[in-house]
Amino acid sequence: VGEMLASIASVFRVTAWKNTKCLNLFQQGAALIMSARTFTDFTTRATFEIKKCDLFLLDEGPATQVVLTRDEGLQYYRTMQVMRRMELKADQLYKQKMIRGFCHLYDGQEACAVGLEASINLSDHLITAYRVHGYTYTRGGTVKEIMAELTGRRGGIAKGKGGSMHMYCKTFYGGNGIIGAQVPLGAGVALACNYLGNNELCVCLYGDGAYLSNILVYIQQGQIFETYNMAALWKLPVIFVCENNRYAMGTSVERAAASTDYYKRGEFIPGLRVDGMDVLCVREATRFAADHCRSGKGPILMELQTYRYHGHSMSDPGLSYRTREEIWEVRSKSDPIAMLKDHMLSHNMASVEELKGIDVEVRKEIEDAAQFATTDPEPPLEELCNHIFYNEPPFEVRGTNLWTKLKSLS
């Protein structure tokens, strides 16, 4: 490489410093040669030591020495960057009043979604609460469809009628606005997997606040704990995942729960407590949990210890119950994207320039999607009542008064 650079320099020595075009050619050629050399020297796979999971009713847990390939690392990095930039753009559009209503952002928790998806199949099933944008993307939705749904446009993934909380894909049963309501629904999906014998499973996600909310109505229904009981009795292939981001709306877990060991809440269901800020920890824990379910052992519970950078929703500044210093401490020490980036750079699995290139591509993709989401037309009034039922004959729906009639098509 040194000899090649010297040869190039000798050719352009006389004119390079006087001729800007020649100088640019020289610099580009040198950059290409150095780039080619660097890419051939990249490590294609590396072994990492990850944090051990806390176990409940389990004799052994996930591996603590894991292998990451260069391709996997780049894929995880790009996906998490897309999720992060998408949420930051949603924040911006909300403040511009282009997005209205409820909007719950996921930035800070990206390792949970990416790690989970890395160890299950797209044919497996997933259901979550209302912090849903990231999972819609990992399940197969496009950034354009998600952003257009946020702005209520016709090109949205739910035709502009679902908004921030209600997005769906094949095998993804969307966001659910009623706290904890998705837990029994997820068990029902797992029951269907069991009934069909297709070796599929359901990942059922909820936040730490779901416990707190349901404890209040436990005497009346206690739907989460009833679901645990049924899932254990019938050995359903369901992974219950508590994304513990430390705050149920504005209440810290320490102030609201006598026991914060959420991975033990299943009582008779095995549990894992996982570092939810490390994508490799989440990946290995999910792989362990999926093997548990597919082997016919029944449900398992995972608590992912994570953190959200935004408030509970866009109406919550997120600073009345925690300090800026707390948020920045988590960002500086445990940010999931920064952790993966450090892993890859320290093991020569990527270069700074390559990762910056991914960042530039992601920003452009997000900007293009935002442009689409703010220019795409809104759904017309005559489509308001469509898709209420699946595969049913057209029928009339009463409008806002007795004299207004709308037609519903499947």
Side-chain angles (χ1 to χ4, degrees), residues 220-238:
Q220 299 177 60
Q221 55 175 319
Q223 56 187 338
I224 289 183
F225 301 98
E226 289 177 3
T227 303
Y228 285 167
N229 184 55
M230 294 173 71
L233 281 172
W234 296 343
K235 293 190 180 299
L236 300 183
V238 56

Side-chain angles (χ1 to χ4, degrees), residues 124-307:
D124 290 321
H125 309 266
L126 193 145
I127 188 168
T128 187
Y130 37 72
R131 210 174 297 278
V132 71
H133 313 154
Y135 286 105
T136 307
Y137 179 70
T138 60
R139 285 275 96 186
T142 67
V143 179
K144 276 188 176 181
E145 290 173 327
I146 295 166
M147 297 301 294
E149 190 60 42
L150 288 172
T151 56
R153 305 306 172 110
R154 199 170 186 174
I157 200 161
K159 311 296 184 186
K161 294 183 284 187
S164 172
M165 296 196 294
H166 306 293
M167 301 183 183
Y168 308 90
C169 302
K170 187 177 181 181
T171 70
F172 176 53
Y173 305 89
N176 292 265
I178 305 302
I179 296 175
Q182 72 278 13
V183 180
L185 296 179
V189 174
L191 176 61
C193 295
N194 222 8
Y195 183 78
L196 296 171
N198 52 22
N199 200 35
E200 295 171 358
L201 57 83
C202 182
V203 177
C204 180
L205 295 120
Y206 47 93
D208 51 282
Y211 285 119
L212 309 182
S213 299
N214 280 283
I215 287 170
L216 300 178
V217 296
Y218 179 58
I219 297 173
Q220 299 177 60
Q221 55 175 319
Q223 56 187 338
I224 289 183
F225 301 98
E226 289 177 3
T227 303
Y228 285 167
N229 184 55
M230 294 173 71
L233 281 172
W234 296 343
K235 293 190 180 299
L236 300 183
V238 56
I239 305 174
F240 295 111
V241 181
C242 173
E243 292 182 291
N244 178 5
N245 59 26
R246 293 170 50 178
Y247 294 96
M249 297 185 72
T251 306
S252 68
V253 293
E254 292 81 10
R255 290 182 56 218
S259 171
T260 57
D261 292 336
Y262 294 129
Y263 70 112
K264 296 180 179 179
R265 288 289 182 95
E267 295 186 37
F268 32 75
I269 295 175
L272 300 165
R273 181 157 59 190
V274 185
D275 180 359
M277 301 300 276
D278 186 339
V279 67
L280 298 182
C281 285
V282 179
R283 185 188 72 174
E284 293 308 309
T286 307
R287 182 174 293 159
F288 178 90
D291 290 343
H292 177 96
C293 289
R294 294 193 210 277
S295 64
K297 295 178 183 177
I300 190 168
L301 198 158
M302 294 202 314
E303 176 191 346
L304 306 182
Q305 292 187 312
T306 185
Y307 196 84

